[in-house]
Amino acid sequence: MLLPPTGSIVMLTGAGISAESGLATFRGAGGLWEGRRAEDVATPEAFARDPGMVHRFYNQRRRQLHDPAIRPNAAHLALARLEADWPGSVLVVTQNVDDLHERAGSRAVLHMHGQIRRMRCTACLEERLWLGDLDTLTPCPACGATASLRPAIVWFGEMPLEMERIMAALQSCDLFVAVGTSGHVYPAAGFVEVVRDVDRAHTIEVNLEPSAVRSAFAECRVGPAGSVVPTLVDELLAGLR
Ligand code: OAD
């Protein structure tokens, strides 16, 4: 695939890119929402109703990231290589709350659904890195309030982060690739439509199976991200020679 070397690339990633690192996806068999309703865990209302349960769910997700077996896989590493070697801009927009892109070496990463390794105080709005568990008794290190800390992630019904920068990048990109996302959650599922209005831009979906919005993409590459993404990155970089 030939792109101008100054071309801008936006990579949207979802839970599927971290699946081969050992982190569960949300939907489908074995997914985090299997046997649960997302609204019972991932909403401000669920947190108000049962903060202990919501904290336990996210504590578990945060602890998993301390497991040395959970590491960036070939797809994360390929995206970091693309950022390092591509002369134009490469932006990763991720729905994932894990830090595997950063650990792989990507620097231009926007976490539109926030980050599990950060907390926010709903009393004083302090936000900072937080590697341990959270519970309703944990005092805010900034203001001392209790029952005020929450994971710094975006729940259903809340505004995704960084939308202005994301929209600007989508509207000026030459290539948009969505990796490992089921296309069920907006606004991310609608990003391909934004890019479709950019005449020169090419769009590719990389997924184990066609997503709910597959028909909006010009091209679909079916397979595991850990092998499809490195091949795609090789092709892009080969086009520079
Ligand atoms: P999903 O769990 O909805 O979708 C993951 C997608 O990745 C599915 O289409 C899988 O087929 C695909 N997949 C699984 N393993 C793969 C692999 N090795 N290679 C490539 N694809 C693979 O996850 P998301 O689309 O990321 O939000 O979910 C979006 C949002 O819904 C999440 O950010 C989260 C969730 O509820 C909130 O909690 C607010």
Side-chain angles (χ1 to χ4, degrees):
M1 186 196 332
L2 275 179
L3 275 190
T6 51
S8 303
I9 302 174
V10 177
M11 311 288 307
L12 170 69
T13 64
I17 198 169
S18 295
E20 289 160 77
S21 294
L23 299 179
T25 60
F26 292 94
R27 293 169 185 80
L32 291 169
W33 297 153
E34 193 187 28
R36 275 194 190 96
R37 293 180 334 139
E39 312 86 84
D40 292 340
V41 184
T43 59
E45 293 76 19
F47 188 58
R49 199 168 47 239
D50 192 348
M53 181 270 290
V54 174
H55 276 315
R56 281 192 295 280
F57 177 82
Y58 289 103
N59 286 343
Q60 179 61 28
R61 313 269 81 74
R62 193 179 305 103
R63 278 185 203 174
Q64 256 191 314
L65 295 179
H66 303 323
D67 179 344
I70 304 291
R71 289 189 300 269
N73 64 52
H76 298 104
L77 294 167
L79 294 189
R81 181 162 58 92
L82 183 65
E83 183 184 326
D85 294 350
W86 183 252
S89 82
V90 175
L91 176 67
V92 173
V93 175
T94 188
Q95 298 166 87
N96 298 342
V97 297
D98 66 54
D99 61 345
L100 295 180
H101 284 301
E102 286 85 351
R103 281 202 244 165
S106 286
R107 291 289 163 264
V109 183
L110 297 179
H111 282 269
M112 61 180 292
H113 290 169
Q115 298 179 68
I116 190 74
R117 285 156 58 100
R118 298 184 68 80
M119 69 80 187
R120 185 163 73 248
C121 174
T122 54
C124 71
L125 304 184
E126 168 77 3
E127 191 187 307
R128 61 170 74 171
L129 188 70
W130 193 270
L131 304 182
D133 284 354
L134 284 173
D135 62 43
T136 51
L137 300 175
T138 318
C140 170
C143 72
T146 49
S148 67
L149 301 187
R150 57 164 285 178
I153 62 168
V154 174
W155 284 320
F156 289 101
E158 297 181 321
M159 278 294 281
L161 308 174
E162 306 280 10
M163 283 306 292
E164 237 172 83
R165 286 167 73 187
I166 294 170
M167 290 306 285
L170 294 172
Q171 284 160 351
S172 60
C173 77
D174 297 275
L175 173 66
F176 172 72
V177 185
V179 182
T181 177
S182 61
H184 285 292
V185 177
Y186 285 79
F191 288 171
V192 62
E193 294 292 350
V194 176
V195 178
R196 269 189 352 158
D197 290 340
V198 182
D199 281 343
R200 63 174 189 279
H202 185 53
T203 54
I204 307 177
E205 169 169 287
V206 175
N207 215 47
L208 271 190
E209 63 206 345
S211 79
V213 292
R214 187 274 170 254
S215 61
F217 286 84
E219 189 184 338
C220 178
R221 300 190 181 193
V222 175
S227 45
V228 179
V229 174
T231 303
L232 175 61
V233 167
D234 287 345
E235 272 175 44
L236 287 165
L237 295 176
L240 293 175
R241 287 187 218 119

